[in-house]
Amino acid sequence: MTPNGTEETADGIDPVTLEVLRNQLESVAEEMGQTLIRGAYSPNIKERRDCSTALFDAAGRMIAQAEHIPVHLGAMPAAVDAVREHDPKPGDVFLLNDPFTGGTHLPDVTMVSPIAPGRGGAEDEPDDREIVGYAVSRAHHADVGGMTPGSMPAGAQEIYQEGLRLPPSRLVDGGDRREDVRSLVLANVRNPGERRADLRAQQAANERAEERLADLFDEHGRETVLSGFDAVIDYSRERIAEEIATLPDGVYEATDVLEGDGITDEDIEIAVTVTVDGETIDVDFAGTAAQVAGNLNAPLAVATSAVYFVVRCITDPEIPPNHGCYEPVRVSAPEGTLLNPNPPAAVVGGNVETSQRVTDVVFTALAGAAPDRVPAQGQGTMNNLTIGARDGSFTYYETIGGGFGARAGRDGMDGVQVGMTNTLNTPVESLETEYPLRVDRYALRDGSGGRGRFRGGLGLERTVTVEEPATVSLLTERRRHAPTGVAGGESGATGENLIDGEAVPAKTTIDVDAGTTVTVRTPGGGGHGEPEKRGDGEADD
């Protein structure tokens, strides 16, 4: 008991101090993100904000994260674990993107920096300081080499075709910049000047974390802050366990499919068994298809991110997202399957498309446990569009929003990112300034949301004219199987891809001439409830 009558946590921190520390630690992660966004050069990071930042303790446990991109954040712990195996020391900065060693897909480049604030003495030397945590930033770089501009090739059959593959590598060694490593990276990507600037922005973000953590040490005392790491994790663990305990115990199953892997059009099944037992959730993907020849394979860290996202959606989203929040959740998939592939499997589409289907199938399974908390299916795809010149003069990448599934009591949102991404769109003015592209149409697809007592959100239509010869890559889903409604609601519309007005496959890479138009029509969300029960006060906007 503290002098003011409040109870202390097991770590000796009173609730008021705990809440102050929790918010300050989350502010550190948020400020990292803002530093990265403001310092980046590529529109994909500075405009779309396709990046994430987080703070970890010395044991590799996530302490705080900026809530940016869901598919990034659940996978970040694997990156820290991979770096910790390489004997990090104060002053180091590690760079990695290898999906089989802590990454997700190659364009997502992760930077991990040990945090070791000095104790304020003149004797502080880099090698004498103690590592108290790690600053982590992950950003989708518009090109990391490979067989096509933008590093998102639809026809890749092995990871070597997708770009430069980096295991944890020291970009900075004990405070000394490794120009050989930086030069190696930049020699293997298109538009190296843009990549260099974005890497500098990531490093600045990580450095900001160390500065701010040092400020917290000065404000609260070193030991109080370090004890606070444990306390915030314990707090989240207790909160999420209480939420899971409200779900009925049981075994819940579901299946769904992907529409081909870019090599064949055959459906690829994802199966899940979710077991709710007291304060824990076990998610097992046994029964899922074997890894495929194309690039829809997803590392287990990506599937884990999708599961974490769903669990947060059906519990209290205000629970602080950290290691404790995810500790009661176990995720497994047999080795050699779509969700736990062996190298050298191609994986670039797994991060962006397979993750969306994992979200759908886990939501469907947990609808049996929490039907009022699970929406109808949203668009279920990121509608990845990449356009770039083979000479490296430009690479444009975008994920295009669509319909959100209707919810119990509310229509689905129109034209938004759904599920595992949370990016903004590239403003038309920025897009046309930065790239030789012209936006001819950007509009909602009228009638694309599934009918229901509450209708599904509307998809979008975007038409772009390519003003120079370029390579176009599309990685999309829900072109054949529509997002389904729930409780009697109808399915949303499927999506469609057109080049010069002619339909093209959901996953395609093609070289085009100047003047070519590319149109992406994104799916609508499913409806919720029987359409006949839609009342006058619930009419479409």
Side-chain angles (χ1 to χ4, degrees), residues 173-195:
D173 188 353
D176 297 324
R177 191 159 65 180
R178 292 282 305 274
E179 289 298 340
D180 54 343
V181 175
R182 191 180 302 267
S183 297
L184 176 64
V185 172
L186 297 178
N188 284 280
V189 301
R190 300 172 182 88
N191 200 341
E194 190 175 84
R195 301 288 75 71

Side-chain angles (χ1 to χ4, degrees), residues 129-149:
R129 301 198 311 256
E130 176 190 3
I131 293 175
V132 299
Y134 296 88
V136 185
S137 58
R138 176 169 285 171
H140 184 114
H141 287 246
D143 187 277
V144 290
M147 63 191 287
T148 62

Side-chain angles (χ1 to χ4, degrees), residues 205-224:
N206 287 15
E207 290 170 353
R208 182 60 55 88
E210 184 161 33
E211 293 168 5
R212 291 294 177 256
L213 201 57
D215 291 343
L216 292 182
F217 283 4
D218 290 341
E219 179 180 352
H220 299 286
R222 184 186 187 91
E223 295 309 316
T224 297

